[in-house]
C-alpha cells in the first residue's frame, strides 16, 4: 500500500514455504485478508520471498508465471520487492550460518539472484522500481582474516558487479529500473553502516567504474552513476540496532555520498540492560534464554560501561558470559514483533524503528518499506498470535508511526 510516496508491505519469509506450490498456497491463504484489512479496495504490494527451489519451480512451467500474474491482478496485489537473502530452507530446519550459503563468492548465488530479477521484471508494475535484498557478501567466520578474507571480498565484489551490469542492460533496453540491496548483518562481511559505506567507496565503486566503463563505454562519472543506481543498501533496522548504530548519522552520510537506500526492512531486535550487581543478572539471562532456539543465528553485541562493543556469534556464547562485569547491555539478533517494546525483563529495539521512520517521514529516502518479522514460529508462547492477525497489527503500527 502507498504511504508517503513509498510502498509498504511485509516480507513473505514469515510463511513456512520452500517450493513454489507452498509459496503460492501461503499467499492465497493469508494475503487477501491482510490486504482487505489494511488497504480496503486499494492495491497492496507483496514483499516476495522465493527460495532457490521456489524460483526454479515458478519458472519450470510457462503457465506458472502467467497464473501468478493473473492472481495478483485478481486480488489487487503487486510485487515490488523481493528477499533474496536466504537461498535454501528457512523454516522447519536448522538454518544458523547456512543462511549465508551459497555466498557471493559463488556462481550459484549469482545465478539465483539473476533468476529472481528475471521474475521481478515480469511482475513489476509499469513505472515502478523494483529491489531485491541480499546477503552482506559472506560470513566472516568462514574466511580467515587477512589475505583469504580479502580475496573472498574481491571475488564477491566482482560478482555483485556482474549483477549490476545485467540490471543496467535491462534498464537500458526496457526502462525497467531494479536494484540489488545489500543487507549488512552481524558477523557478515559487511556488518554496519560504516563497513558498507567503506566497501562501497573503496571496493565497489573503483572496480565498478573500471569494469562497467570498459564493458559499456561509459565515462567514470557515468559508470559511477550506474553502480549507485543498481547497487543499494537494505537498511535492516534490527541489524543496525544490534550494532548500536546512530541511525540519523548513517542515513545522512549515505545521502551526502549519493548512495541509495533501496529498502528499509522494519524489524526489531531484543535488548536487555544487565544489572551492575552480578547476583541480580539471573532474571535477565533467564528471560533471554527463553529465546535461545536452535533454528536461526542469534548474534549478540554487548556494550560496556565505556562504550566498547563485545561480539558473540550466537546467544549461547553470550549467556555463558553473562557475569562479565564490564558489560551493561545486550542486543540480540531475534526479530521480535515491532509493535511490542516492553516484554517484562527484556525489551525490544522498537525505539530504533521509530527513529528511522521519523527520519523517513521528514524526508523519504527510499520507496520501499518492508516489515520483516520471520520468527513467529519460534517465539515464546506469550508473544505468539494468529499469523494473519499479527501481520495486520505490525503494518497498522508502522502506518501509525509514519502518519
Amino acid at each position: 500500500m502507498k504511504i508517503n510516496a513509498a510502498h509498504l508491505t511485509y516480507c513473505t519469509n514469515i510463511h513456512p514455504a520452500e517450493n513454489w506450490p507452498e509459496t503460492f498456497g501461503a499467499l492465497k491463504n493469508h494475503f487477501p485478508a491482510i490486504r482487505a484489512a489494511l488497504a480496503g479496495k486499494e492495491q497492496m504490494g507483496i514483499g516476495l520471498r522465493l527460495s532457490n527451489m521456489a524460483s526454479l519451480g515458478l519458472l519450470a512451467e510457462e503457465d506458472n508465471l502467467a497464473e501468478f500474474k493473473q492472481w495478483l491482478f485478481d486480488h489487487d496485489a503487486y510485487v515490488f520487492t523481493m528477499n533474496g537473502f536466504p537461498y535454501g530452507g528457512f523454516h522447519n530446519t536448522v538454518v544458523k550460518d547456512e543462511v549465508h550459503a551459497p555466498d557471493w563468492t559463488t556462481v550459484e548465488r549469482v545465478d539465483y539472484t539473476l533468476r529472481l530479477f528475471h521474475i521481478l521484471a515480469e511482475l513489476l508494475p509499469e513505472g515502478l522500481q523494483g529491489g531485491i535484498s541480499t546477503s552482506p557478501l559472506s560470513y566472516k567466520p568462514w574466511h580467515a582474516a587477512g589475505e583469504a578474507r580479502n580475496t573472498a571480498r574481491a571475488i564477491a565484489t566482482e560478482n555483485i558487479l556482474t549483477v549490476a551490469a545485467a540490471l543496467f542492460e535491462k534498464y537500458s533496453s526496457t526502462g525497467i529500473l531494479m536494484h540489488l540491496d545489500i543487507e549488512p548483518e552481524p558477523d557478515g562481511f559487511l556488518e554496519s553502516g560504516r563497513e558498507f559505506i567503506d566497501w562501497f567507496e573503496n571496493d565497489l565503486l573503483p572496480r565498478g567504474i573500471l569494469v562497467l566503463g570498459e564493458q559499456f563505454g561509459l565515462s567514470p562519472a557515468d559508470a559511477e552513476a550506474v553502480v549507485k543506481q543498481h547497487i543499494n543498501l537494505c537498511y535492516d533496522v534490527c541489524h543496525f540496532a544490534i550494532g548500536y548504530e546512530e541511525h540519523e548519522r548513517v542515513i545522512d552520510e549515505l545521502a551526502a555520498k549519493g548512495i541509495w537506500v533501496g529498502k528499509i526492512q522494519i524489524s526489531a531486535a531484543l535488548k536487555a540492560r544487565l544489572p551492575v550487581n552480578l547476583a541480580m543478572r539471573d532474571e535477565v539471562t533467564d528471560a533471554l534464554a527463553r529465546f535461545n532456539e536452535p533454528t536461526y543465528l542469534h548474534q549478540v553485541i554487548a556494550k560496556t560501561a565505556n562504550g566498547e562493543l563485545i561480539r558473540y556469534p550466537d546467544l549461547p556464547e553470550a549467556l555463558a558470559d553473562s557475569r562479565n562485569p564490564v558489560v551493561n547491555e545486550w542486543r540480540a539478533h531475534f526479530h521480535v514483533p515491532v509493535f511490542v517494546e516492553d516484554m517484562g525483563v527484556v525489551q525490544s529495539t522498537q525505539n530504533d524503528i521509530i527513529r528511522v521512520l521519523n527520519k523517513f517521514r521528514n524526508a523519504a529516502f527510499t520507496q520501499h518499506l518492508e516489515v520483516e518479522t520471520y520468527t513467529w514460529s519460534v517465539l515464546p508462547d506469550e508473544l505468539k498470535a494468529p499469523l494473519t492477525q499479527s501481520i495486520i497489527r505490525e503494518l497498522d503500527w508502522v502506518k501509525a508511526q509514519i502518519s
Side-chain angles (χ1 to χ4, degrees), residues 41 148 199:
K41 295 182 179 181
W199 167 76

Side-chain angles (χ1 to χ4, degrees), residues 94-334:
V94 177
V95 179
K96 292 296 183 180
D97 61 339
E98 287 301 306
V99 72
H100 292 275
D103 67 12
W104 273 100
T105 66
T106 68
V107 67
E108 288 84 3
R109 174 61 66 172
V110 176
D111 290 346
Y112 166 59
T113 305
L114 291 174
R115 189 182 316 119
L116 292 183
F117 274 116
H118 170 72
I119 293 169
L120 182 58
E122 291 292 320
L123 300 176
L124 196 62
E126 184 176 355
L128 185 61
Q129 64 173 253
I132 297 176
S133 51
T134 191
S135 74
L137 307 189
S138 190
Y139 183 58
K140 281 179 179 174
W142 290 350
H143 307 274
E147 185 176 351
R149 192 173 294 174
N150 291 337
T151 299
R153 182 184 175 110
I155 294 170
T157 301
E158 292 292 326
N159 286 335
I160 293 285
L161 288 170
T162 296
V163 174
L167 296 180
F168 177 60
E169 287 183 320
K170 188 72 173 179
Y171 176 66
S172 299
S173 62
T174 68
I176 298 174
L177 173 57
M178 297 182 291
H179 39 81
L180 182 65
D181 305 332
I182 312 295
E183 182 180 337
E185 176 176 306
D187 292 331
F189 268 23
L190 308 176
E191 295 194 56
S192 63
R194 177 78 277 130
E195 288 191 356
F196 173 83
I197 292 170
D198 288 347
W199 167 76
F200 199 101
E201 289 197 310
N202 300 325
D203 296 73
L204 184 69
L205 271 183
R207 189 62 185 159
I209 289 169
L210 178 63
V211 170
L212 299 181
E214 289 182 354
Q215 184 172 348
F216 297 107
L218 300 172
S219 69
D222 287 342
E224 178 177 339
V226 168
V227 174
K228 289 182 173 180
Q229 178 170 260
H230 295 295
I231 307 300
N232 295 181
L233 171 68
C234 174
Y235 199 108
D236 188 301
V237 185
C238 168
H239 298 170
F240 278 19
I242 296 165
Y244 305 85
E245 296 268 4
E246 291 295 328
H247 302 289
E248 296 82 1
R249 181 194 61 77
V250 174
I251 293 165
D252 286 345
E253 184 175 355
L254 290 166
K257 295 178 180 296
I259 301 173
W260 297 4
V261 175
K263 171 165 64 178
I264 302 173
Q265 278 186 331
I266 302 166
S267 53
L270 282 170
K271 73 174 182 180
R273 297 287 296 180
L274 299 179
V276 175
N277 186 333
L278 300 183
M280 297 174 61
R281 291 190 176 188
D282 289 347
E283 184 181 13
V284 176
T285 54
D286 287 348
L288 283 168
R290 291 167 36 247
F291 293 86
N292 185 24
E293 59 79 37
T295 304
Y296 304 108
L297 271 181
H298 300 299
Q299 305 96 319
V300 176
I301 300 181
K303 195 171 190 178
T304 68
N306 62 7
E308 294 181 358
L309 301 182
I310 301 174
R311 300 174 183 274
Y312 303 94
D314 208 347
L315 190 51
E317 289 84 352
L319 292 171
D321 196 36
S322 63
R323 294 298 183 95
N324 188 333
V326 303
V327 171
N328 61 15
E329 184 175 348
W330 277 356
R331 295 193 178 183
H333 185 198
F334 197 117

Side-chain angles (χ1 to χ4, degrees), residues 369-389:
L369 305 171
E370 179 185 60
V371 173
E372 194 205 20
T373 307
Y374 57 79
T375 54
W376 294 100
S377 63
V378 296
L379 281 171
D381 288 341
E382 64 270 20
L383 291 177
K384 290 181 180 178
L387 190 56
T388 297
Q389 174 187 327

Side-chain angles (χ1 to χ4, degrees), residues 4 235 237 246-256 261 264 351-366 369 401-402:
N4 282 29
Y235 199 108
V237 185
E246 291 295 328
H247 302 289
E248 296 82 1
R249 181 194 61 77
V250 174
I251 293 165
D252 286 345
E253 184 175 355
L254 290 166
V261 175
I264 302 173
N351 188 60
D352 288 72
I353 298 174
I354 293 171
R355 288 168 57 192
V356 172
L357 293 182
N358 282 343
K359 191 75 174 172
F360 168 82
R361 186 176 63 243
N362 293 331
F365 55 89
T366 184
L369 305 171
Q401 301 308 310
I402 294 174

